Amino acid sequence: MKIIACVKRVPLTDAQVKVGADGASIDPTGLVYSLSFYDELAVEEALKTKEKLGGEVTVLTLGASDASKELRECLAKGADNASILLDPAWAARDARSTAKALAARIVELGAELVFCGRVATDRDQSAVGTMLSSYLGWSCVTDVTKLELTATGGTAQRETEAGIETLAFSLPAVITCDKGLNEPRLAGLKGIMAAKKKTIDETKPLDVESAVKVLKVELPSARKAGRIVGEGAAAVPALMDALRNEAKVL
Amino acid sequence: MTSILVFVEHRDGTPRRASLEALGAAAATGVTPIALVTGPGAANAAAPLSAAGARKLVVITGADHYSPDGTAADIAAAVEAHAAVAFIAAASSAGKDLLGRVAGLLDSAPLADCTSFTCSGGVFTVQRPILAGKALVTAQSQSKVCCATLRSNTFAVATRDGAAEVTTLATRGGKVKVTGVTAKGDAKLDVKEAAVVVSGGRGLREAAGFKIVEDLAAAFGNAAVGASRAVVDSHWRPHSEQVGQTGKTVAPQLYFAVGISGAIQHLAGMRTSKVIVAINKDAAAPIFKVADYGIVGDAFEILPALTEAVKQAKAAN
Ligand SMILES: Cc1cc2nc3c(=O)[nH]c(=O)nc-3n(C[C@H](O)[C@H](O)[C@H](O)COP(=O)(O)OP(=O)(O)OC[C@H]3O[C@@H](n4cnc5c(N)ncnc54)[C@H](O)[C@@H]3O)c2cc1C
């Protein structure tokens, strides 16, 4: 089975963000990137699936050439191939143009199973995985915390506000991975050495114009300074008074 | 007459509050809101949805078992049938799941978790947080159909007299089917929807330490329990309760951070709460920098006293 894990590099979650000079972008200077947290889960699930059902794993990203650093980390963990849709202006793409380019590449690669992260922790859209499934005409299950796959289909669990949902689906499928699904492995020395020798395939992505016009990017207004109302249990009446009479939330 | 199609979640015809808020947001744009409901009891939603601003109601028939791709296809069909200019839903787990599917079917660009949603001269403009709330983007949709999900606790529910005109549409069915739902043990509120969230962190020492957090939440009645990643990673609490960059983003009226240090990834998930209270034994903990009110001290002393005070306040009301 041909398995693809779609991944994206994002700024580290502890990054301090600055607005770009145009007022409509994030200033990339000084940002340090790593694979989006949930994409690590997607790569792990792709590798586990290959170990169970056989096949080969390709990690796929759309981005600038420096994304090869993260792709090489995936190769070191055991991915067979890595493919990058080279677009230096990736940040100007919206979810639709990214999904269309990825879908076209997935068809070219002839895959029948695609893993994505639940969300990329930069744009926080949670949209590319589900959009892929619509463009491909495939099954899709999202936010998966438990998965059982056979060569033709599977069952998955996801957490919703109402409880844990169980879903049945057929292949081909797109599966988006949530925390709890697996514990991503670390790359071993042997894998790291082998990954250095592998070539990363570079192709040009489908050109799709963005359908979202960003007017402004701003930082949220800072919260006004609060105060310590006191120490220990003795401060409870002061807190209750503040919540009732000042904040008026009781 | 241009319209906005609003996907409404319901239980046996009782709409979820987050969906009513989305309906309210649609009504507030001045464009005609059409509600779409599916699943058992859907037709019962006619009265509450009319009262919350729906001018038309599309009831999907034949969908006894929820199918996410089937529902997306039904929504896309209804959007086309009514020539709707936008599709919106609550940014719930179902709404998030549907957004990209529907946007893909309509070849439109999705906008998730919007905190502002307006329409002027036929152009939709939204505001949405990125990087877990560290920045806010204002963007215009240039898609054929503006597809968006809206953050709960952010938009007002509308009111309207008169009954929505009801039409039905047979489901197209899908390849993915929900075969079962294991309900949560009790009717626990989700952290994203609760008006009050009491979150605990590593300062509670062990899983059993959360008793004091649960007691405070129970005293409020309308509160949910939240957790830091540290305690979720230690398996003291389920991931569904995690607040932060790799958990849920919450914006309740009142947020308590108990024994939580205030790491940037945690703050990302709760900094837009209306009022933040921090309880921490370390006066230098970064959580106090974002808190409106703080008490320095041992949570195991403070919380029981606070729970008592809240109970008394509730009894006096
Ligand atoms: C990629 C990534 C994603 C992350 N995502 C998230 C996320 O989504 N959500 C999240 O929360 N974190 C997230 N984190 C983790 C985050 O960096 C912190 O490690 C975590 O939030 C710390 O949890 P904590 O505050 O419970 O624990 P600690 O930082 O250990 O703080 C415990 C606090 O309890 C106080 N305390 C101790 N005893 C008592 C007592 N008896 N009474 C009162 N106070 C007491 C201490 O003074 C301390 O401030 C993420 C990290 C990474 C790298």
Side-chain angles (χ1 to χ4, degrees):
Chain A
M1 178 161 7
K2 282 212 165 160
I3 305 164
I4 290 180
C6 291
V7 299
K8 184 181 189 187
R9 71 201 303 251
V10 298
L12 290 183
T13 53
D14 58 2
Q16 299 283 353
V17 197
K18 287 193 299 283
V19 175
D22 63 355
S25 62
I26 294 290
D27 181 356
T29 38
L31 287 182
V32 178
Y33 293 82
S34 74
L35 220 51
S36 176
F37 172 80
Y38 297 98
D39 294 351
E40 303 257 11
L41 306 179
V43 172
E44 177 63 28
E45 204 57 25
L47 296 174
K48 275 174 59 188
T49 305
K50 172 190 159 180
E51 284 155 11
K52 190 174 160 231
L53 300 175
E56 69 176 37
V57 171
T58 301
V59 280
L60 174 62
T61 195
L62 186 156
S65 58
D66 36 6
S68 59
K69 171 180 153 281
E70 284 74 25
L71 292 186
R72 227 169 264 291
E73 288 166 11
C74 300
L75 290 170
K77 289 183 177 185
D80 302 286
N81 316 299
S83 173
I84 172 163
L85 291 170
L86 214 51
D87 184 359
W90 63 272
R93 283 186 180 251
D94 60 10
R96 169 178 165 271
S97 81
T98 302
K100 288 183 99 154
L102 290 172
R105 185 70 182 134
I106 289 164
V107 171
E108 267 171 26
L109 292 170
E112 48 185 318
L113 188 56
V114 170
F115 290 99
C116 297
R118 169 175 78 85
V119 61
T121 56
D122 55 350
R123 302 278 176 85
D124 295 341
Q125 287 260 51
S126 281
V128 166
T130 43
M131 289 194 91
L132 278 178
S133 75
S134 287
Y135 285 121
L136 294 165
W138 291 9
S139 302
C140 177
V141 279
T142 59
D143 305 358
V144 172
T145 52
K146 210 172 158 191
L147 180 67
E148 270 171 57
L149 275 176
T150 68
T152 55
T155 57
Q157 285 189 353
R158 63 193 294 267
E159 269 172 25
T160 72
E161 294 86 357
I164 295 174
E165 235 172 47
T166 305
L167 300 105
F169 61 94
S170 56
L171 293 188
V174 177
I175 291 160
T176 81
C177 305
D178 201 356
K179 188 169 172 177
L181 180 60
N182 58 44
E183 290 290 339
R185 70 194 66 187
L186 299 173
L189 194 56
K190 224 175 101 198
I192 293 171
M193 298 313 287
K196 284 193 177 147
K197 296 196 200 90
K198 288 197 178 163
T199 47
I200 292 175
D201 162 86
E202 291 183 357
T203 39
K204 213 179 142 330
L206 206 66
D207 225 352
V208 184
E209 230 180 289
S210 171
V212 175
K213 185 175 174 195
V214 175
L215 303 177
K216 190 163 75 177
V217 173
E218 62 198 305
L219 301 186
S221 46
R223 293 188 71 92
K224 63 171 175 39
R227 62 188 163 90
I228 306 279
V229 297
E231 280 182 30
V236 166
L239 175 63
M240 290 297 286
D241 182 62
L243 293 178
R244 188 183 293 115
N245 301 317
E246 233 175 74
K248 303 201 189 322
V249 286
L250 282 188
Chain B
M1 185 182 65
T2 56
S3 57
I4 299 179
L5 193 90
V6 185
F7 172 71
V8 172
E9 296 168 58
H10 67 96
R11 176 174 276 180
D12 295 322
T14 305
R16 292 172 58 102
R17 171 150 181 113
S19 297
L20 293 181
E21 292 167 2
L23 192 58
T29 62
V31 183
T32 306
I34 304 180
L36 180 144
V37 283
T38 185
N44 299 336
L49 291 178
S50 300
R55 298 272 292 273
K56 282 188 183 171
L57 178 65
V58 180
V59 177
I60 304 298
T61 55
D64 296 334
H65 295 282
Y66 184 77
S67 163
D69 52 333
T71 304
D74 295 339
I75 290 169
V79 163
E80 274 161 9
H82 290 88
V85 292
F87 152 65
I88 61 173
S92 59
S93 52
K96 282 184 177 167
D97 176 85
L98 286 168
L99 176 65
R101 297 179 194 263
V102 174
L105 293 174
L106 299 172
D107 198 22
S108 295
L111 296 158
D113 209 15
C114 300
T115 50
S116 153
F117 182 80
T118 57
C119 181
S120 144
V123 179
F124 287 92
T125 302
V126 307
Q127 196 168 58
R128 57 179 304 272
I130 58 167
L131 294 157
K134 282 182 223 157
L136 293 169
V137 172
T138 307
Q140 240 172 35
S141 166
Q142 298 182 326
S143 298
K144 192 167 49 133
V145 180
C146 171
C147 296
T149 53
L150 309 189
R151 180 170 287 193
S152 59
N153 283 330
T154 308
F155 297 89
V157 176
T159 52
R160 182 172 182 270
D161 290 330
E165 175 196 326
V166 181
T167 56
T168 59
L169 190 69
T171 183
R172 329 231 124 195
K175 291 187 280 285
V176 184
K177 282 218 160 55
V178 172
T179 55
V181 181
T182 324
K184 288 184 191 163
D186 36 38
K188 262 201 241 162
L189 270 171
D190 190 82
V191 271
K192 272 167 66 180
E193 292 177 353
V196 179
V197 174
V198 187
S199 285
R202 190 142 47 192
L204 296 170
R205 291 192 209 124
E206 54 176 335
F210 267 75
K211 172 87 172 56
I212 56 170
V213 165
E214 285 174 344
D215 287 349
L216 179 57
F220 275 105
N222 56 347
V225 173
S228 72
R229 171 159 163 197
V231 308
V232 171
D233 282 353
S234 307
H235 304 288
W236 299 355
R237 303 300 298 186
H239 179 50
S240 55
E241 292 179 0
Q242 185 181 315
V243 171
Q245 186 145 11
T246 50
K248 289 180 178 164
T249 305
V250 301
Q253 292 290 317
L254 181 54
Y255 186 89
F256 288 90
V258 184
I260 290 178
S261 60
I264 188 163
Q265 296 96 343
H266 188 81
L267 301 185
M270 43 64 81
R271 55 168 298 149
T272 57
S273 304
K274 304 255 156 45
V275 176
I276 297 172
V277 175
I279 295 169
N280 196 302
K281 70 174 184 192
D282 175 9
I287 190 72
F288 287 121
K289 292 210 177 77
V290 299
D292 299 284
Y293 306 109
I295 299 183
V296 179
D298 184 356
F300 291 94
E301 259 176 47
I302 298 162
L303 249 61
L306 184 55
T307 302
E308 262 329 295
V310 170
K311 275 187 191 159
Q312 275 172 23
K314 291 271 160 187
N317 272 347

